Amino acid sequence: MADSPSFRRHPLASSVDLVRWLPSSSTSPSGRLLAAAVHDPTSGPAASSIHLLPLSDPGSPLASLQLPSRATALRCSPAALAAATSSGSLHFLPSSFDSDAAVSVPGGAGFHVGPVRGLDCGEEEWVTAGEDGRVHLVGGAADGRVVARRLWDGKGMSGYEAARWASPVEFATGGAGCGVQWWDRRKGDAVVAQCNGIWGRGIVTGMVHSIDIHPSRKHICVVGGSSGTIFAWDLRWPQQPIPLSGVGLNGTAEPVCESEVWEVLFDTYTQSSDIISSASARILPVMMCSEDGILAVVEQDERPFELLAEACAINSFDIDPQNPSDVVCALEWESIGVLTRGRDAMAEE
């Protein structure tokens, strides 16, 4: 991380809630592509859409999909781009980005009532988790329809903010009143482990906003939440969450911020300060973004490394899986930021 990164800000006409890299295609005439969830706060809740943007000119959308309400989650797979909304609906846009071929699951009593903030793609099914306390698996039926199957209904006793697949049969969820939960479909689609986190030394449960699971260490997840909190949860020691950042932890982890941590991802670009084997218990570097405009890398027992300090919230970010030196950010003040680290940044400058 010694090289200074380059940062480019691309103004848009609407506020940006979420942004994702799309899988690169050598046949795409527009080069590398982004997906962004945008909304116009002056035009009401229905003025929301998903834009397909070329990295070379993010201000000129190549395609758009109108949404019935503001997007609350955005994920992509090789076959489709999926967006969940504040009204409880789920929308799929195929990889051809033909809006006429888009399909959806409507919000309501049969699916989710209210915002769906947890969304992730597995090998065959998507998982959704909502503020209504419901968890669904969504997949295709033989007749081409999209079918949602309910796994759990918390009936308002808890609400979900995040969901992440670990394997074809395991996934994690998190939110308010439930901490982090680990589900195993081999055991009756049930929660098999739970962690309250590090708020109040694990005595109370804070708000979980984001979960990531390392692709080569599926027993470890990293969690971002309220009060600047970031911690890792190793299923081998389920009652011992590992603090990475937080307020009031008596020096066990230096807080990288004091506001909401909106997103966390394992950072495959940053090299750890120590050589870590696959059997090591040490947590790999993690990137985060926050309500108070911080984009940083945190590492166990190390000082946070700040990459950006913006005057507005960084609502989400994504690391390009094919070029992990590149990071795209959703800046609340109507712009997208692209951060390039290392030698690539020096070459661009």
mmCIF file of all heavy atoms in Angstrom, residues 236-282:
data_model
loop_
_atom_site.group_PDB
_atom_site.id
_atom_site.type_symbol
_atom_site.label_atom_id
_atom_site.label_comp_id
_atom_site.label_asym_id
_atom_site.label_seq_id
_atom_site.Cartn_x
_atom_site.Cartn_y
_atom_site.Cartn_z
ATOM 1 N N ARG A 236 -14.934 -21.746 13.791
ATOM 2 C CA ARG A 236 -14.202 -22.700 14.616
ATOM 3 C C ARG A 236 -14.221 -22.287 16.084
ATOM 4 O O ARG A 236 -14.049 -23.124 16.976
ATOM 5 C CB ARG A 236 -12.765 -22.826 14.109
ATOM 6 C CG ARG A 236 -12.659 -23.393 12.687
ATOM 7 C CD ARG A 236 -11.246 -23.353 12.164
ATOM 8 N NE ARG A 236 -10.760 -21.973 12.048
ATOM 9 C CZ ARG A 236 -9.551 -21.653 11.569
ATOM 10 N NH1 ARG A 236 -8.725 -22.617 11.170
ATOM 11 N NH2 ARG A 236 -9.179 -20.394 11.475
ATOM 12 N N TRP A 237 -14.401 -20.969 16.320
ATOM 13 C CA TRP A 237 -14.513 -20.429 17.675
ATOM 14 C C TRP A 237 -15.709 -19.480 17.688
ATOM 15 O O TRP A 237 -15.555 -18.261 17.771
ATOM 16 C CB TRP A 237 -13.236 -19.703 18.073
ATOM 17 C CG TRP A 237 -12.037 -20.596 18.047
ATOM 18 C CD1 TRP A 237 -11.678 -21.525 18.988
ATOM 19 C CD2 TRP A 237 -11.045 -20.682 17.008
ATOM 20 N NE1 TRP A 237 -10.524 -22.171 18.602
ATOM 21 C CE2 TRP A 237 -10.111 -21.686 17.394
ATOM 22 C CE3 TRP A 237 -10.858 -20.024 15.791
ATOM 23 C CZ2 TRP A 237 -9.028 -22.018 16.614
ATOM 24 C CZ3 TRP A 237 -9.771 -20.366 15.015
ATOM 25 C CH2 TRP A 237 -8.868 -21.346 15.414
ATOM 26 N N PRO A 238 -16.920 -20.017 17.628
ATOM 27 C CA PRO A 238 -18.115 -19.186 17.373
ATOM 28 C C PRO A 238 -18.438 -18.191 18.481
ATOM 29 O O PRO A 238 -19.169 -17.227 18.227
ATOM 30 C CB PRO A 238 -19.232 -20.223 17.217
ATOM 31 C CG PRO A 238 -18.732 -21.446 17.926
ATOM 32 C CD PRO A 238 -17.257 -21.450 17.729
ATOM 33 N N GLN A 239 -17.933 -18.375 19.677
ATOM 34 C CA GLN A 239 -18.234 -17.455 20.772
ATOM 35 C C GLN A 239 -17.124 -16.436 21.001
ATOM 36 O O GLN A 239 -17.129 -15.732 22.010
ATOM 37 C CB GLN A 239 -18.478 -18.263 22.053
ATOM 38 C CG GLN A 239 -19.609 -19.266 21.947
ATOM 39 C CD GLN A 239 -20.905 -18.643 21.459
ATOM 40 O OE1 GLN A 239 -21.294 -17.563 21.913
ATOM 41 N NE2 GLN A 239 -21.580 -19.309 20.531
ATOM 42 N N GLN A 240 -16.178 -16.346 20.068
ATOM 43 C CA GLN A 240 -15.053 -15.434 20.234
ATOM 44 C C GLN A 240 -14.874 -14.553 18.995
ATOM 45 O O GLN A 240 -13.918 -14.714 18.232
ATOM 46 C CB GLN A 240 -13.765 -16.213 20.500
ATOM 47 C CG GLN A 240 -13.815 -17.085 21.739
ATOM 48 C CD GLN A 240 -12.558 -17.912 21.906
ATOM 49 O OE1 GLN A 240 -11.480 -17.544 21.456
ATOM 50 N NE2 GLN A 240 -12.691 -19.057 22.560
ATOM 51 N N PRO A 241 -15.791 -13.604 18.737
ATOM 52 C CA PRO A 241 -15.614 -12.698 17.595
ATOM 53 C C PRO A 241 -14.342 -11.889 17.756
ATOM 54 O O PRO A 241 -13.920 -11.552 18.873
ATOM 55 C CB PRO A 241 -16.868 -11.817 17.648
ATOM 56 C CG PRO A 241 -17.342 -11.912 19.063
ATOM 57 C CD PRO A 241 -16.997 -13.290 19.524
ATOM 58 N N ILE A 242 -13.721 -11.556 16.636
ATOM 59 C CA ILE A 242 -12.408 -10.897 16.633
ATOM 60 C C ILE A 242 -12.593 -9.438 16.238
ATOM 61 O O ILE A 242 -12.971 -9.143 15.102
ATOM 62 C CB ILE A 242 -11.461 -11.604 15.637
ATOM 63 C CG1 ILE A 242 -11.315 -13.081 16.019
ATOM 64 C CG2 ILE A 242 -10.108 -10.916 15.595
ATOM 65 C CD1 ILE A 242 -10.703 -13.930 14.926
ATOM 66 N N PRO A 243 -12.357 -8.474 17.146
ATOM 67 C CA PRO A 243 -12.542 -7.055 16.815
ATOM 68 C C PRO A 243 -11.505 -6.572 15.802
ATOM 69 O O PRO A 243 -10.318 -6.856 15.912
ATOM 70 C CB PRO A 243 -12.355 -6.345 18.166
ATOM 71 C CG PRO A 243 -12.422 -7.420 19.204
ATOM 72 C CD PRO A 243 -11.935 -8.665 18.546
ATOM 73 N N LEU A 244 -11.984 -5.837 14.797
ATOM 74 C CA LEU A 244 -11.100 -5.174 13.830
ATOM 75 C C LEU A 244 -11.219 -3.662 13.926
ATOM 76 O O LEU A 244 -10.272 -2.938 13.629
ATOM 77 C CB LEU A 244 -11.428 -5.623 12.400
ATOM 78 C CG LEU A 244 -11.295 -7.125 12.113
ATOM 79 C CD1 LEU A 244 -11.680 -7.417 10.664
ATOM 80 C CD2 LEU A 244 -9.879 -7.612 12.395
ATOM 81 N N SER A 245 -12.387 -3.157 14.310
ATOM 82 C CA SER A 245 -12.604 -1.723 14.489
ATOM 83 C C SER A 245 -13.846 -1.540 15.343
ATOM 84 O O SER A 245 -14.807 -2.294 15.219
ATOM 85 C CB SER A 245 -12.806 -1.021 13.142
ATOM 86 O OG SER A 245 -13.235 0.318 13.320
ATOM 87 N N GLY A 246 -13.822 -0.528 16.198
ATOM 88 C CA GLY A 246 -15.008 -0.263 17.003
ATOM 89 C C GLY A 246 -14.747 0.788 18.052
ATOM 90 O O GLY A 246 -13.602 1.033 18.443
ATOM 91 N N VAL A 247 -15.806 1.425 18.511
ATOM 92 C CA VAL A 247 -15.727 2.457 19.531
ATOM 93 C C VAL A 247 -15.918 1.818 20.903
ATOM 94 O O VAL A 247 -16.797 0.984 21.094
ATOM 95 C CB VAL A 247 -16.810 3.534 19.293
ATOM 96 C CG1 VAL A 247 -16.766 4.592 20.387
ATOM 97 C CG2 VAL A 247 -16.613 4.177 17.932
ATOM 98 N N GLY A 248 -15.063 2.208 21.864
ATOM 99 C CA GLY A 248 -15.225 1.728 23.234
ATOM 100 C C GLY A 248 -14.793 0.300 23.445
ATOM 101 O O GLY A 248 -15.377 -0.422 24.244
ATOM 102 N N LEU A 249 -13.754 -0.134 22.719
ATOM 103 C CA LEU A 249 -13.284 -1.510 22.864
ATOM 104 C C LEU A 249 -12.022 -1.605 23.718
ATOM 105 O O LEU A 249 -11.311 -2.602 23.686
ATOM 106 C CB LEU A 249 -13.016 -2.126 21.481
ATOM 107 C CG LEU A 249 -14.239 -2.264 20.580
ATOM 108 C CD1 LEU A 249 -13.830 -2.816 19.230
ATOM 109 C CD2 LEU A 249 -15.278 -3.163 21.223
ATOM 110 N N ASN A 250 -11.727 -0.531 24.472
ATOM 111 C CA ASN A 250 -10.596 -0.529 25.401
ATOM 112 C C ASN A 250 -9.278 -0.865 24.714
ATOM 113 O O ASN A 250 -8.454 -1.614 25.227
ATOM 114 C CB ASN A 250 -10.844 -1.520 26.551
ATOM 115 C CG ASN A 250 -12.070 -1.157 27.360
ATOM 116 O OD1 ASN A 250 -12.329 0.013 27.608
ATOM 117 N ND2 ASN A 250 -12.835 -2.164 27.778
ATOM 118 N N GLY A 251 -9.100 -0.305 23.516
ATOM 119 C CA GLY A 251 -7.826 -0.466 22.825
ATOM 120 C C GLY A 251 -7.644 -1.775 22.102
ATOM 121 O O GLY A 251 -6.597 -2.021 21.518
ATOM 122 N N THR A 252 -8.638 -2.664 22.117
ATOM 123 C CA THR A 252 -8.483 -3.938 21.423
ATOM 124 C C THR A 252 -8.531 -3.784 19.915
ATOM 125 O O THR A 252 -8.021 -4.632 19.190
ATOM 126 C CB THR A 252 -9.575 -4.932 21.864
ATOM 127 O OG1 THR A 252 -10.860 -4.342 21.612
ATOM 128 C CG2 THR A 252 -9.447 -5.248 23.350
ATOM 129 N N ALA A 253 -9.152 -2.715 19.417
ATOM 130 C CA ALA A 253 -9.171 -2.434 17.980
ATOM 131 C C ALA A 253 -9.402 -0.943 17.797
ATOM 132 O O ALA A 253 -10.334 -0.378 18.364
ATOM 133 C CB ALA A 253 -10.264 -3.228 17.279
ATOM 134 N N GLU A 254 -8.550 -0.305 17.015
ATOM 135 C CA GLU A 254 -8.673 1.139 16.807
ATOM 136 C C GLU A 254 -9.850 1.433 15.884
ATOM 137 O O GLU A 254 -9.958 0.840 14.812
ATOM 138 C CB GLU A 254 -7.383 1.685 16.199
ATOM 139 C CG GLU A 254 -7.390 3.183 16.003
ATOM 140 C CD GLU A 254 -6.040 3.708 15.562
ATOM 141 O OE1 GLU A 254 -5.039 3.009 15.786
ATOM 142 O OE2 GLU A 254 -5.995 4.816 15.007
ATOM 143 N N PRO A 255 -10.755 2.325 16.270
ATOM 144 C CA PRO A 255 -11.908 2.602 15.404
ATOM 145 C C PRO A 255 -11.485 3.347 14.147
ATOM 146 O O PRO A 255 -10.766 4.343 14.211
ATOM 147 C CB PRO A 255 -12.821 3.457 16.285
ATOM 148 C CG PRO A 255 -11.906 4.098 17.270
ATOM 149 C CD PRO A 255 -10.813 3.097 17.522
ATOM 150 N N VAL A 256 -11.918 2.866 12.990
ATOM 151 C CA VAL A 256 -11.614 3.544 11.733
ATOM 152 C C VAL A 256 -12.606 4.674 11.489
ATOM 153 O O VAL A 256 -12.330 5.613 10.755
ATOM 154 C CB VAL A 256 -11.600 2.533 10.572
ATOM 155 C CG1 VAL A 256 -12.987 1.951 10.336
ATOM 156 C CG2 VAL A 256 -11.056 3.158 9.301
ATOM 157 N N CYS A 257 -13.794 4.598 12.112
ATOM 158 C CA CYS A 257 -14.799 5.647 12.046
ATOM 159 C C CYS A 257 -15.735 5.467 13.233
ATOM 160 O O CYS A 257 -15.630 4.478 13.971
ATOM 161 C CB CYS A 257 -15.572 5.604 10.728
ATOM 162 S SG CYS A 257 -16.681 4.179 10.587
ATOM 163 N N GLU A 258 -16.653 6.410 13.429
ATOM 164 C CA GLU A 258 -17.602 6.309 14.532
ATOM 165 C C GLU A 258 -19.044 6.240 14.040
ATOM 166 O O GLU A 258 -19.973 6.266 14.843
ATOM 167 C CB GLU A 258 -17.425 7.496 15.490
ATOM 168 C CG GLU A 258 -16.051 7.523 16.152
ATOM 169 C CD GLU A 258 -15.920 8.626 17.179
ATOM 170 O OE1 GLU A 258 -16.922 9.335 17.419
ATOM 171 O OE2 GLU A 258 -14.828 8.783 17.755
ATOM 172 N N SER A 259 -19.224 6.155 12.743
ATOM 173 C CA SER A 259 -20.571 6.135 12.167
ATOM 174 C C SER A 259 -20.910 4.725 11.683
ATOM 175 O O SER A 259 -20.213 3.765 11.986
ATOM 176 C CB SER A 259 -20.643 7.132 11.007
ATOM 177 O OG SER A 259 -19.817 6.691 9.941
ATOM 178 N N GLU A 260 -21.990 4.630 10.908
ATOM 179 C CA GLU A 260 -22.401 3.335 10.359
ATOM 180 C C GLU A 260 -21.387 2.847 9.324
ATOM 181 O O GLU A 260 -20.957 3.604 8.443
ATOM 182 C CB GLU A 260 -23.777 3.440 9.699
ATOM 183 C CG GLU A 260 -24.860 4.020 10.597
ATOM 184 C CD GLU A 260 -25.065 3.208 11.841
ATOM 185 O OE1 GLU A 260 -25.541 2.060 11.736
ATOM 186 O OE2 GLU A 260 -24.750 3.729 12.932
ATOM 187 N N VAL A 261 -21.007 1.596 9.407
ATOM 188 C CA VAL A 261 -20.180 0.943 8.389
ATOM 189 C C VAL A 261 -21.140 0.268 7.418
ATOM 190 O O VAL A 261 -21.792 -0.729 7.755
ATOM 191 C CB VAL A 261 -19.218 -0.080 9.019
ATOM 192 C CG1 VAL A 261 -18.462 -0.838 7.925
ATOM 193 C CG2 VAL A 261 -18.244 0.613 9.964
ATOM 194 N N TRP A 262 -21.249 0.828 6.205
ATOM 195 C CA TRP A 262 -22.269 0.361 5.264
ATOM 196 C C TRP A 262 -21.862 -0.913 4.521
ATOM 197 O O TRP A 262 -22.720 -1.713 4.146
ATOM 198 C CB TRP A 262 -22.598 1.452 4.262
ATOM 199 C CG TRP A 262 -23.326 2.630 4.818
ATOM 200 C CD1 TRP A 262 -23.017 3.947 4.659
ATOM 201 C CD2 TRP A 262 -24.525 2.624 5.627
ATOM 202 N NE1 TRP A 262 -23.918 4.758 5.306
ATOM 203 C CE2 TRP A 262 -24.859 3.964 5.915
ATOM 204 C CE3 TRP A 262 -25.332 1.615 6.138
ATOM 205 C CZ2 TRP A 262 -25.966 4.316 6.681
ATOM 206 C CZ3 TRP A 262 -26.437 1.960 6.908
ATOM 207 C CH2 TRP A 262 -26.743 3.293 7.166
ATOM 208 N N GLU A 263 -20.571 -1.085 4.278
ATOM 209 C CA GLU A 263 -20.172 -2.253 3.489
ATOM 210 C C GLU A 263 -18.770 -2.689 3.891
ATOM 211 O O GLU A 263 -17.912 -1.861 4.197
ATOM 212 C CB GLU A 263 -20.227 -1.939 1.993
ATOM 213 C CG GLU A 263 -20.150 -3.159 1.114
ATOM 214 C CD GLU A 263 -20.998 -3.037 -0.149
ATOM 215 O OE1 GLU A 263 -21.193 -1.924 -0.650
ATOM 216 O OE2 GLU A 263 -21.456 -4.091 -0.637
ATOM 217 N N VAL A 264 -18.541 -4.011 3.879
ATOM 218 C CA VAL A 264 -17.218 -4.583 4.113
ATOM 219 C C VAL A 264 -16.961 -5.661 3.072
ATOM 220 O O VAL A 264 -17.876 -6.396 2.680
ATOM 221 C CB VAL A 264 -17.078 -5.183 5.531
ATOM 222 C CG1 VAL A 264 -17.042 -4.102 6.589
ATOM 223 C CG2 VAL A 264 -18.174 -6.189 5.831
ATOM 224 N N LEU A 265 -15.716 -5.739 2.603
ATOM 225 C CA LEU A 265 -15.288 -6.780 1.668
ATOM 226 C C LEU A 265 -13.859 -7.172 1.993
ATOM 227 O O LEU A 265 -13.026 -6.306 2.302
ATOM 228 C CB LEU A 265 -15.341 -6.283 0.215
ATOM 229 C CG LEU A 265 -16.703 -6.038 -0.432
ATOM 230 C CD1 LEU A 265 -16.516 -5.393 -1.801
ATOM 231 C CD2 LEU A 265 -17.487 -7.335 -0.554
ATOM 232 N N PHE A 266 -13.566 -8.459 1.924
ATOM 233 C CA PHE A 266 -12.167 -8.870 2.014
ATOM 234 C C PHE A 266 -11.408 -8.261 0.842
ATOM 235 O O PHE A 266 -11.866 -8.300 -0.307
ATOM 236 C CB PHE A 266 -12.045 -10.392 1.983
ATOM 237 C CG PHE A 266 -12.347 -11.045 3.312
ATOM 238 C CD1 PHE A 266 -13.543 -11.699 3.522
ATOM 239 C CD2 PHE A 266 -11.433 -10.991 4.345
ATOM 240 C CE1 PHE A 266 -13.821 -12.298 4.745
ATOM 241 C CE2 PHE A 266 -11.700 -11.576 5.572
ATOM 242 C CZ PHE A 266 -12.891 -12.232 5.773
ATOM 243 N N ASP A 267 -10.251 -7.682 1.141
ATOM 244 C CA ASP A 267 -9.471 -6.966 0.131
ATOM 245 C C ASP A 267 -8.382 -7.885 -0.410
ATOM 246 O O ASP A 267 -7.342 -8.086 0.224
ATOM 247 C CB ASP A 267 -8.859 -5.714 0.750
ATOM 248 C CG ASP A 267 -8.128 -4.860 -0.268
ATOM 249 O OD1 ASP A 267 -8.253 -5.144 -1.477
ATOM 250 O OD2 ASP A 267 -7.428 -3.922 0.147
ATOM 251 N N THR A 268 -8.610 -8.437 -1.584
ATOM 252 C CA THR A 268 -7.668 -9.394 -2.165
ATOM 253 C C THR A 268 -6.434 -8.722 -2.754
ATOM 254 O O THR A 268 -5.473 -9.396 -3.107
ATOM 255 C CB THR A 268 -8.350 -10.226 -3.257
ATOM 256 O OG1 THR A 268 -8.927 -9.337 -4.239
ATOM 257 C CG2 THR A 268 -9.462 -11.075 -2.669
ATOM 258 N N TYR A 269 -6.444 -7.386 -2.848
ATOM 259 C CA TYR A 269 -5.288 -6.669 -3.390
ATOM 260 C C TYR A 269 -4.244 -6.386 -2.316
ATOM 261 O O TYR A 269 -3.041 -6.534 -2.544
ATOM 262 C CB TYR A 269 -5.743 -5.353 -4.022
ATOM 263 C CG TYR A 269 -4.594 -4.489 -4.506
ATOM 264 C CD1 TYR A 269 -3.968 -4.755 -5.722
ATOM 265 C CD2 TYR A 269 -4.135 -3.409 -3.753
ATOM 266 C CE1 TYR A 269 -2.917 -3.982 -6.161
ATOM 267 C CE2 TYR A 269 -3.083 -2.624 -4.187
ATOM 268 C CZ TYR A 269 -2.478 -2.907 -5.388
ATOM 269 O OH TYR A 269 -1.432 -2.136 -5.826
ATOM 270 N N THR A 270 -4.684 -5.966 -1.141
ATOM 271 C CA THR A 270 -3.773 -5.574 -0.077
ATOM 272 C C THR A 270 -3.063 -6.795 0.498
ATOM 273 O O THR A 270 -3.708 -7.772 0.896
ATOM 274 C CB THR A 270 -4.531 -4.847 1.046
ATOM 275 O OG1 THR A 270 -5.136 -3.676 0.504
ATOM 276 C CG2 THR A 270 -3.600 -4.458 2.177
ATOM 277 N N GLN A 271 -1.766 -6.723 0.563
ATOM 278 C CA GLN A 271 -0.978 -7.786 1.159
ATOM 279 C C GLN A 271 -0.945 -7.603 2.669
ATOM 280 O O GLN A 271 -0.702 -6.514 3.163
ATOM 281 C CB GLN A 271 0.453 -7.786 0.614
ATOM 282 C CG GLN A 271 0.545 -8.045 -0.879
ATOM 283 C CD GLN A 271 0.030 -9.417 -1.250
ATOM 284 O OE1 GLN A 271 0.391 -10.419 -0.626
ATOM 285 N NE2 GLN A 271 -0.817 -9.484 -2.268
ATOM 286 N N SER A 272 -1.190 -8.684 3.402
ATOM 287 C CA SER A 272 -1.144 -8.611 4.854
ATOM 288 C C SER A 272 0.267 -8.318 5.328
ATOM 289 O O SER A 272 1.264 -8.605 4.647
ATOM 290 C CB SER A 272 -1.631 -9.924 5.469
ATOM 291 O OG SER A 272 -1.471 -9.909 6.865
ATOM 292 N N SER A 273 0.360 -7.714 6.512
ATOM 293 C CA SER A 273 1.668 -7.411 7.086
ATOM 294 C C SER A 273 2.426 -8.685 7.454
ATOM 295 O O SER A 273 3.636 -8.674 7.611
ATOM 296 C CB SER A 273 1.499 -6.536 8.330
ATOM 297 O OG SER A 273 0.672 -7.176 9.280
ATOM 298 N N ASP A 274 1.713 -9.780 7.615
ATOM 299 C CA ASP A 274 2.327 -11.072 7.901
ATOM 300 C C ASP A 274 1.991 -12.053 6.796
ATOM 301 O O ASP A 274 0.966 -11.938 6.133
ATOM 302 C CB ASP A 274 1.822 -11.648 9.235
ATOM 303 C CG ASP A 274 2.305 -10.836 10.428
ATOM 304 O OD1 ASP A 274 3.318 -10.133 10.284
ATOM 305 O OD2 ASP A 274 1.652 -10.904 11.488
ATOM 306 N N ILE A 275 2.862 -13.028 6.610
ATOM 307 C CA ILE A 275 2.556 -14.113 5.690
ATOM 308 C C ILE A 275 1.550 -15.028 6.381
ATOM 309 O O ILE A 275 1.780 -15.524 7.477
ATOM 310 C CB ILE A 275 3.831 -14.894 5.312
ATOM 311 C CG1 ILE A 275 4.805 -13.974 4.569
ATOM 312 C CG2 ILE A 275 3.486 -16.110 4.464
ATOM 313 C CD1 ILE A 275 6.134 -14.617 4.254
ATOM 314 N N ILE A 276 0.396 -15.230 5.737
ATOM 315 C CA ILE A 276 -0.688 -15.972 6.361
ATOM 316 C C ILE A 276 -0.946 -17.251 5.568
ATOM 317 O O ILE A 276 -1.207 -17.203 4.369
ATOM 318 C CB ILE A 276 -1.975 -15.128 6.413
ATOM 319 C CG1 ILE A 276 -1.706 -13.814 7.161
ATOM 320 C CG2 ILE A 276 -3.089 -15.896 7.085
ATOM 321 C CD1 ILE A 276 -2.897 -12.898 7.179
ATOM 322 N N SER A 277 -0.865 -18.387 6.245
ATOM 323 C CA SER A 277 -1.194 -19.649 5.596
ATOM 324 C C SER A 277 -2.693 -19.864 5.646
ATOM 325 O O SER A 277 -3.414 -19.205 6.397
ATOM 326 C CB SER A 277 -0.477 -20.807 6.304
ATOM 327 O OG SER A 277 -1.023 -21.013 7.590
ATOM 328 N N SER A 278 -3.178 -20.793 4.850
ATOM 329 C CA SER A 278 -4.617 -21.055 4.808
ATOM 330 C C SER A 278 -5.130 -21.592 6.142
ATOM 331 O O SER A 278 -6.319 -21.500 6.434
ATOM 332 C CB SER A 278 -4.936 -22.055 3.689
ATOM 333 O OG SER A 278 -4.246 -23.266 3.908
ATOM 334 N N ALA A 279 -4.239 -22.145 6.958
ATOM 335 C CA ALA A 279 -4.648 -22.688 8.253
ATOM 336 C C ALA A 279 -4.539 -21.653 9.369
ATOM 337 O O ALA A 279 -4.918 -21.925 10.505
ATOM 338 C CB ALA A 279 -3.800 -23.905 8.594
ATOM 339 N N SER A 280 -4.044 -20.456 9.061
ATOM 340 C CA SER A 280 -3.843 -19.443 10.091
ATOM 341 C C SER A 280 -5.178 -18.907 10.589
ATOM 342 O O SER A 280 -6.159 -18.840 9.864
ATOM 343 C CB SER A 280 -3.000 -18.296 9.523
ATOM 344 O OG SER A 280 -2.953 -17.207 10.428
ATOM 345 N N ALA A 281 -5.184 -18.490 11.866
ATOM 346 C CA ALA A 281 -6.378 -17.877 12.447
ATOM 347 C C ALA A 281 -6.376 -16.372 12.234
ATOM 348 O O ALA A 281 -7.359 -15.710 12.560
ATOM 349 C CB ALA A 281 -6.448 -18.196 13.936
ATOM 350 N N ARG A 282 -5.312 -15.804 11.690
ATOM 351 C CA ARG A 282 -5.239 -14.370 11.474
ATOM 352 C C ARG A 282 -6.204 -13.958 10.360
ATOM 353 O O ARG A 282 -6.332 -14.640 9.341
ATOM 354 C CB ARG A 282 -3.812 -13.953 11.127
ATOM 355 C CG ARG A 282 -3.626 -12.443 10.995
ATOM 356 C CD ARG A 282 -2.163 -12.119 10.738
ATOM 357 N NE ARG A 282 -1.988 -10.696 10.476
ATOM 358 C CZ ARG A 282 -1.857 -9.761 11.403
ATOM 359 N NH1 ARG A 282 -1.883 -10.120 12.681
ATOM 360 N NH2 ARG A 282 -1.689 -8.496 11.097
#
